[in-house]
């Protein structure tokens, strides 16, 4: 198949494009940033968030090569950044709109990357596992979550009005390979690895927080199953959780990392942050039933692999072993008035 992957320079996009290429598919990527990990696939540098008029051959008046299916991953993907800079949430919605218009004009099916954030903080509303039917815009916790709800709503409306075929995946805390771009994208697992291997203290915001961490290869396996099933017309117009299906606390993740690195962790506990989800465990019944999805990497193994990859990467880039800029760790202090020392993002 020929597959358009937007957000192809990001963590999931890079892993997905490489996997699809190895499986014999042809990938055409689009991203506004250069891919710093690989040059193994073809991509276009383009900002997808412009107010572009409809253009049947591509987006923004640029002709794309012919493709069979689109996987739309491009987004501002950092919860706290969108709380701080809400215009980025709007850009997420515009990107989704542009990709949808392209798909509508080309009659292409689309895979959309949504998030468990659309469930809001289910812990406050229900004790059960998050089912695909339980998302509700009234539970919106953050502008990021609002942008994903908006994206899903646009997709469902295109399916009803124009017969667009889609699969929506709701990912959860994906970690591993190509996620340690800490100056751009502070995510909790690479942040903990970076900080603990420097034998510096870490702060866990929300000791009670329980999250469903997903090793990147499991997530990619689910997406690939979805792309194939959607393109063949076997599974169409479904919204599906993709995660590991187990809750783990951030403290446990930190302890596993410390044990892999053979360091004694120095952990400070602090309350959760504004806009954060504090409890999520995915219900994977639908992914299993529709796609035969079976995640294979529990947190202990995933952390081992993530630390292994991190070490390899760090050995090739020793210059990255430096203190992170304060902005990367506490970006919101100045801008929305949170107190210093209260802000390590969890997703
Ligand atoms: N990684 C996770 O834990 C997770 C969880 C839930 C949902 N998601 C979603 O999955 C998708 C992929 O996530 P990721 O972890 O690879 O994030 P990422 O930030 O690594 O990748 C997103 C890519 O989109 C690109 N992008 C942003 N704005 C753009 C624009 N205007 N035009 C073109 N490209 C643009 C970025 O440059 C980046 O390379 C995102 O939509 C994200 O919201 C990720």
């Amino acid at each position: 198949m020929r597959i358009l992957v937007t957000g192809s320079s990001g963590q999931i996009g890079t892993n997905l494009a490489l996997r699809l290429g190895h499986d014999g598919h042809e990938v055409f990527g689009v991203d506004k940033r250069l891919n710093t990990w690989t040059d193994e696939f073809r991509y276009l540098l383009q900002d997808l968030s412009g107010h572009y008029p409809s253009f049947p051959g591509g987006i923004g008046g640029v002709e794309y090569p012919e493709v069979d299916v689109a996987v739309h991953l491009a987004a501002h993907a950092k919860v706290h950044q969108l709380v701080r800079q809400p215009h980025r949430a709007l850009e997420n919605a515009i990107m989704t709109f542009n990709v949808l218009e392209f798909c509508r004009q080309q009659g292409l099916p689309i895979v959309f990357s949504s998030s468990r954030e659309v469930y809001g903080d289910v812990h406050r509303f229900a004790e059960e596992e998050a089912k695909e039917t339980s998302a509700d815009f009234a539970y919106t916790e953050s502008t990021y979550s609002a942008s994903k709800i908006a994206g899903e709503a646009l997709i469902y409306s295109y399916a009803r009005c124009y017969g667009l075929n889609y699969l929506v995946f709701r990912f959860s805390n994906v970690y591993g390979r190509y996620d340690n771009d800490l100056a751009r994208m502070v995510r909790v697992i690479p942040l903990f690895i970076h900080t603990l291997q420097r034998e510096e203290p870490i702060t866990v915001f929300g000791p009670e927080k329980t999250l469903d961490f997903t090793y990147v290869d499991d997530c990619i396996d689910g997406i690939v199953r979805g792309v194939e099933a959607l393109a063949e017309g076997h599974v169409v117009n479904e919204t599906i959780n993709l995660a590991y299906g187990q809750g783990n606390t951030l403290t446990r993740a930190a302890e596993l990392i410390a044990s892999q690195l053979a360091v004694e962790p120095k952990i400070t506990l602090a309350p959760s942050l504004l806009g954060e989800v504090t409890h999520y465990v995915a219900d994977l019944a639908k992914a299993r039933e529709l796609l035969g999805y079976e995640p294979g990497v529990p947190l202990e193994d995933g952390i081992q692999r993530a630390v292994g990859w991190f070490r390899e990467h760090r050995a090739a880039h020793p210059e990255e072993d430096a203190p992170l800029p304060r902005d990367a760790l506490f970006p919101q202090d100045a801008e929305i008035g949170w107190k210093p020392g209260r802000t390590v993002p969890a997703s």
Side-chain angles (χ1 to χ4, degrees):
M1 276 184 290
R2 300 161 300 177
I3 301 160
L4 168 68
V5 177
T6 73
S8 56
S9 300
Q11 183 211 7
I12 297 178
T14 302
N15 280 289
L16 177 67
L18 290 174
R19 162 76 193 271
L20 289 169
H22 295 158
D23 287 357
H25 300 299
E26 202 179 302
V27 172
F28 174 65
V30 181
D31 202 296
K32 70 172 182 183
R33 295 180 309 121
L34 287 170
N35 192 309
T36 53
W37 309 108
T38 179
D39 53 10
E40 267 191 51
F41 59 85
R42 192 160 65 115
Y43 68 98
L44 172 75
L45 269 183
Q46 185 183 32
D47 186 338
L48 290 169
S49 68
H51 290 269
Y52 300 126
S54 280
F55 176 71
I59 295 174
V62 180
E63 287 282 351
Y64 289 4
E66 269 190 36
V67 291
D68 304 301
V69 55
V71 182
H72 176 42
L73 302 169
H76 300 294
K78 215 165 113 183
V79 176
H80 288 270
Q81 188 182 51
L82 270 66
V83 172
R84 187 168 45 105
Q85 300 170 334
H87 71 276
R88 290 177 186 262
L90 178 61
E91 287 182 9
N92 280 355
I94 295 172
M95 281 185 242
T96 304
F97 171 75
N98 285 333
V99 176
L100 272 173
E101 265 303 284
F102 171 64
C103 290
R104 177 172 78 92
Q105 306 224 18
Q106 294 284 324
L108 290 176
I110 184 172
V111 171
F112 177 60
S113 52
S114 187
S115 164
R116 52 110 166 125
E117 296 280 335
V118 302
Y119 294 115
D121 202 358
V122 286
H123 183 55
R124 284 174 20 209
F125 302 97
E127 288 298 324
E128 62 191 50
E129 288 183 336
K131 296 209 189 325
E132 292 83 348
T133 47
S134 58
D136 187 322
F137 68 84
Y139 294 167
T140 313
E141 288 286 322
S142 68
T143 42
Y144 172 78
S145 145
S147 80
K148 289 298 179 188
I149 291 172
E152 286 198 23
L154 277 172
I155 287 189
Y156 304 144
S157 73
Y158 268 60
R160 292 200 183 98
C161 296
Y162 313 115
L164 174 107
N165 283 348
Y166 70 83
L167 285 185
V168 168
F169 283 122
R170 294 179 180 152
F171 305 144
S172 171
N173 289 84
V174 182
Y175 68 99
R177 213 189 297 115
Y178 312 139
D179 67 347
N180 74 333
D181 186 356
L182 289 174
R184 177 185 78 87
M185 169 66 68
V186 184
R187 284 198 166 132
V188 71
I189 299 275
L191 174 67
F192 282 0
I193 301 176
H194 171 91
T195 312
L196 287 170
Q197 61 92 35
R198 291 171 53 78
E199 299 195 47
E200 291 170 355
I202 57 170
T203 306
V204 168
F205 292 89
E208 76 294 348
K209 205 183 290 160
T210 302
L211 300 173
D212 199 337
F213 292 99
T214 316
Y215 186 65
V216 66
D217 286 350
D218 281 333
C219 174
I220 298 301
D221 183 61
I223 303 174
V224 170
R225 284 168 184 272
V227 167
E228 290 173 350
L230 178 66
E232 288 160 6
H234 294 157
V235 183
V236 173
N237 298 359
E238 298 282 357
T239 296
I240 301 171
N241 294 332
L242 270 193
Y244 184 73
Q246 193 181 71
N248 276 288
T249 62
L250 286 174
T251 313
R252 171 154 167 75
E255 284 166 356
L256 287 170
I257 291 167
S259 131
Q260 278 302 312
L261 293 167
V263 299
E264 195 57 46
K266 294 172 217 129
I267 301 177
T268 308
L269 303 177
S272 279
L273 305 171
L274 184 65
E276 280 190 331
V277 168
T278 56
H279 183 96
Y280 176 73
V281 181
D283 180 337
L284 298 178
K286 213 166 159 186
R288 289 196 166 97
E289 186 194 321
L290 295 178
L291 301 175
Y293 172 71
E294 200 50 66
V297 190
L299 191 62
E300 310 82 72
D301 297 355
I303 292 285
Q304 193 181 356
R305 294 185 200 188
V307 169
W309 179 82
F310 190 98
R311 279 186 153 141
E312 243 173 64
H313 178 80
R314 201 35 79 77
H317 298 274
E319 73 284 358
E320 291 179 11
D321 188 9
L324 291 173
R326 187 176 169 80
D327 270 8
L329 289 172
F330 305 107
Q332 57 276 65
D333 290 348
E335 289 170 64
I336 59 173
W338 288 352
K339 299 244 180 333
R342 291 205 50 218
T343 50
V344 172
S347 51

